[in-house]
């Protein structure tokens, strides 16, 4: 019989090396197809390697490697290469003109530094890629995750441990990642995976079953981290308060773990980051929870952004106010429908019952104030001055000239925006304007 257990025992049960080779080749092909169906190996990206044998079985390692340039769902066993631990091809692919996977040097980095590893997987998972961008500066050496159930699935970690997945920077070709990968494996001995920024994930296990299960668990955690960020939560921080029951001397005891201080020895052992503090605040952190489930942040500090940052939403917020353009409404709808509606109906609206004499006088003064506040050489100001004389004392003509002068040059004046909003409200009420959502 031929097979491999989760413990990584040899596939050889009856000394049939040829049958072992056929079985492992089929296994690598099936893994690649599975990764494609999971969305982790689209195009020709991603790959897998499995090795069998080794010193514990008194024979050399046999390393099986997926080829490059093939759609992963189309790979068959005959496409797989067999190599030795010196990276020599011992049995080539039976399919002509195939090349070794570009990941091949990286398989061997893992096999060399993780002697028990029998399978290495590389994916182009969207969740993995997005997780590398949670740090807007793209300088973080690792992604940190804690207090998520699937931490148990990645090996060497429990629910309340802090998992650190190292992140290395992408390079133009895969082989150039080898030195960075080797350094990451040495610096993070507990991690069974390495993220590649803007690229994907490498993960390994002591058997192919373990590597596959860990790959699935890592992907789950990456998706959680990305979604938590969108909620204003940080996957690296413990919950503010955790309540759970524990058996002690035959009795249930409720343990209330308050995570704001350093009183729990477990907290120190995990090595999680300290509570977030305001920049320049050298005093003790305040106790009230704010952003990201941390206990020491001022909301205003998280809204101070650099050019590439996205502001976080306060944890306890109930309302998120958005500008319409490009968020709730297409910019093209504003420019192609709403703006032309104002220009087309301007004179009629100014003569309607919606605009009283006081409204007209107030709008005329506000528009004039905004235009006079523009630089003297601004085209809107110049257009307005050229037309205002002809309007004389007719307040409606004065308003029309001011509105057109501002809109022709896309000036974001407060008086203009307020008036446009009033016209649009009337247009929606009469049915002449219909939102595209």
């Amino acid at each position: 019989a031929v097979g491999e257990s989760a413990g990584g025992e040899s596939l050889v049960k009856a000394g049939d090396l040829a049958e072992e080779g056929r079985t492992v080749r089929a296994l690598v092909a099936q893994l690649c197809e599975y990764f494609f169906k999971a969305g982790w190996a689209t195009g020709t990206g991603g790959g897998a390697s499995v090795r069998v044998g080794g010193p514990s079985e008194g024979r050399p390692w046999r390393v099986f490697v997926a080829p490059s340039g093939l759609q992963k769902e189309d790979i068959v066993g005959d496409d797989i290469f067999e190599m030795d631990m010196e990276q020599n091809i011992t049995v080539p692919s039976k399919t002509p003109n195939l090349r070794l996977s570009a990941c091949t040097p990286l398989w061997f980095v893992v096999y060399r530094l993780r002697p028990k590893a029998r399978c290495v997987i590389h994916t182009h998972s969207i969740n993995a890629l997005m997780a590398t961008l949670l740090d807007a500066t793209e300088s973080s050496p690792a992604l940190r995750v804690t207090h998520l159930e699937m931490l148990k699935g990645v090996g060497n970690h429990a629910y309340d441990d802090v998992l650190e997945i190292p992140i290395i920077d992408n390079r133009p070709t895969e082989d150039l990642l080898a030195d960075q990968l080797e350094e990451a494996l040495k610096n993070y001995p507990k991690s069974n995976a390495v993220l590649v920024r803007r690229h994907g994930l490498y993960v390994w296990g002591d058997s192919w079953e373990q590597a596959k299960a860990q790959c699935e668990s890592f992907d789950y955690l990456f998706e959680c981290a990305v979604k938590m960020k969108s909620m204003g939560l940080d996957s690296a921080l413990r919950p503010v308060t955790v309540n759970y029951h524990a058996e002690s001397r035959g009795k249930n005891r409720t343990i209330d773990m308050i995570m704001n201080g350093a009183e729990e020895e477990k907290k120190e052992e995990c090595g999680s980051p300290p509570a977030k503090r305001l920049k320049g605040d050298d005093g003790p952190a305040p106790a009230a929870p704010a952003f990201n489930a941390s206990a020491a942040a001022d909301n205003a500090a998280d809204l101070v952004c650099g050019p590439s940052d996205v502001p976080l939403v306060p944890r306890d917020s109930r309302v998120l106010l958005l500008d319409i353009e490009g968020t709730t409404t297409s910019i093209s709808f504003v420019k192609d429908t709403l703006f032309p509606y104002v220009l087309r109906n301007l004179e009629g609206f100014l003569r309607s019952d919606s605009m009283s004499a006081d409204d007209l006088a107030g709008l005329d003064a506000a528009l004039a104030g905004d235009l006079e506040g523009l630089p003297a050489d601004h085209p809107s100001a110049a257009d307005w001055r050229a037309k205002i004389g002809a309007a004389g004392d007719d307040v409606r003509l004065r308003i029309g000239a001011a509105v057109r002068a501002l809109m022709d040059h896309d000036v974001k004046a407060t008086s203009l925006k307020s008036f446009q909003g009033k016209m649009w409200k009337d247009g929606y009420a009469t049915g002449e304007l219909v939102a595209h959502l």
Side-chain angles (χ1 to χ4, degrees):
V2 178
E4 180 183 359
S5 73
E9 289 87 355
S10 170
L11 284 154
V12 178
K13 301 299 182 182
D16 188 346
L17 295 179
E19 178 65 17
E20 178 186 60
R22 285 192 293 271
T23 302
V24 180
R25 286 185 174 86
L27 169 63
V28 174
Q30 290 170 357
L31 287 174
C32 289
E33 182 180 8
Y34 169 78
F35 300 145
F36 169 80
K37 291 179 178 178
W40 299 342
T42 52
T44 62
S49 172
V50 175
R51 67 174 179 171
V52 295
S56 63
E57 299 178 17
R59 61 192 180 107
W61 288 107
R62 304 178 69 187
V63 183
F64 295 84
V65 176
S68 177
L70 285 183
Q71 301 280 340
K72 293 300 180 285
E73 73 274 25
D74 291 337
I75 290 178
V76 297
D78 285 347
D79 298 330
I80 306 303
F81 290 85
E82 181 180 344
M83 307 178 72
D84 60 24
M85 281 301 293
E86 283 69 48
Q87 302 190 43
N88 300 308
I89 297 175
T90 56
V91 180
S93 165
K94 293 183 180 179
T95 306
N97 302 320
L98 291 185
R99 296 176 288 109
L100 286 170
S101 168
C103 305
T104 300
L106 306 181
W107 310 139
F108 285 91
V109 170
V110 176
Y111 288 142
R112 177 165 51 84
L113 296 178
R114 297 290 186 266
K116 293 183 178 180
R118 288 177 172 263
C119 178
V120 188
I121 296 165
H122 175 46
T123 78
H124 286 185
S125 158
I126 290 292
N127 292 328
L129 185 153
M130 295 303 294
T132 69
L133 300 177
L134 291 177
D135 169 22
T137 67
E138 298 192 49
S139 60
S140 175
L143 173 70
R144 297 166 67 91
V145 179
T146 188
H147 282 76
L148 293 176
E149 178 64 17
M150 289 302 286
L151 284 168
K152 300 174 182 177
V154 302
N156 304 322
H157 290 80
Y159 161 77
D160 53 354
D161 285 336
V162 176
L163 168 67
E164 290 187 306
I165 309 105
I167 303 175
I168 61 178
D169 290 321
N170 198 21
R171 302 293 294 278
T173 59
E174 207 94 18
D175 58 296
L176 296 177
L177 297 172
D179 291 343
Q180 291 183 79
L181 180 64
E182 180 169 346
E183 183 178 0
L185 266 66
K186 292 177 179 177
N187 292 339
Y188 295 85
K190 285 187 66 177
S191 180
N192 292 320
V194 171
L195 285 161
V196 184
R197 208 181 314 274
R198 295 177 176 263
H199 183 152
L201 173 74
Y202 282 88
V203 59
W204 52 88
D206 296 347
S207 66
W208 70 265
E209 297 99 328
Q210 186 185 79
K212 173 179 173 291
Q214 292 181 169
C215 190
E216 294 165 347
S217 299
F218 275 115
D219 199 73
Y220 177 97
L221 294 173
F222 299 150
E223 183 174 8
C224 284
V226 172
K227 289 184 175 180
M228 287 174 69
K229 178 76 170 182
S230 71
M231 298 169 63
L233 303 175
D234 190 335
S235 63
L237 299 179
R238 291 183 176 86
V240 175
T241 303
V242 180
N243 294 303
Y244 64 87
H245 293 278
E247 285 290 328
S248 176
R249 298 181 181 177
K251 297 181 180 180
N252 279 331
R253 301 175 61 189
T254 300
I255 301 177
D256 183 20
M257 299 180 67
I258 306 300
M259 297 301 183
N260 294 337
E263 58 270 28
E264 296 294 336
E265 292 183 6
K266 180 69 175 178
K267 179 178 180 179
E268 294 300 324
E269 293 170 1
C270 289
S272 71
K276 186 173 180 181
R277 298 167 61 184
L278 286 173
K279 294 180 180 179
D281 180 7
D282 296 325
F291 283 87
N292 301 339
S294 71
D298 186 313
N299 290 359
D302 283 283
L303 297 176
V304 177
C305 297
S308 62
D309 293 336
V310 177
L312 300 180
V313 178
R315 183 185 182 193
D316 298 321
S317 63
R318 294 292 179 268
V319 176
L320 179 62
L321 181 63
L322 302 174
D323 186 13
I324 61 170
E325 294 188 49
T327 51
T328 64
T329 305
S330 169
I331 293 177
S332 62
F333 178 75
V334 176
K335 294 186 178 300
D336 298 341
T337 302
L338 295 183
F339 286 170
Y341 172 84
V342 171
L343 296 174
R344 187 172 63 250
N345 295 280
L346 177 58
E347 282 75 18
F349 186 80
L350 292 174
R351 286 177 168 76
S352 71
D353 294 338
S354 298
M355 296 295 292
S356 66
D358 288 342
D359 292 334
L360 292 170
L363 178 59
D364 182 35
L367 289 169
D370 284 335
L371 282 159
E372 288 169 353
L374 296 174
D377 58 349
H378 193 284
S380 289
D383 288 353
W384 176 65
R385 285 193 298 269
K387 297 175 182 176
I388 198 65
D393 295 331
D394 190 327
V395 67
R396 293 180 178 85
L397 291 180
R398 291 170 60 86
I399 291 173
V403 168
R404 293 182 185 281
L406 291 168
M407 290 187 65
D408 285 349
H409 301 284
D410 198 25
V411 176
K412 307 299 184 185
T414 302
S415 57
L416 175 64
K417 282 181 168 289
S418 177
F419 176 65
Q420 287 173 327
K422 191 171 184 176
M423 284 195 65
W424 292 334
K425 182 179 179 180
D426 184 76
Y428 284 122
T430 61
E432 187 172 351
L433 283 177
V434 178
H436 69 300
L437 298 181

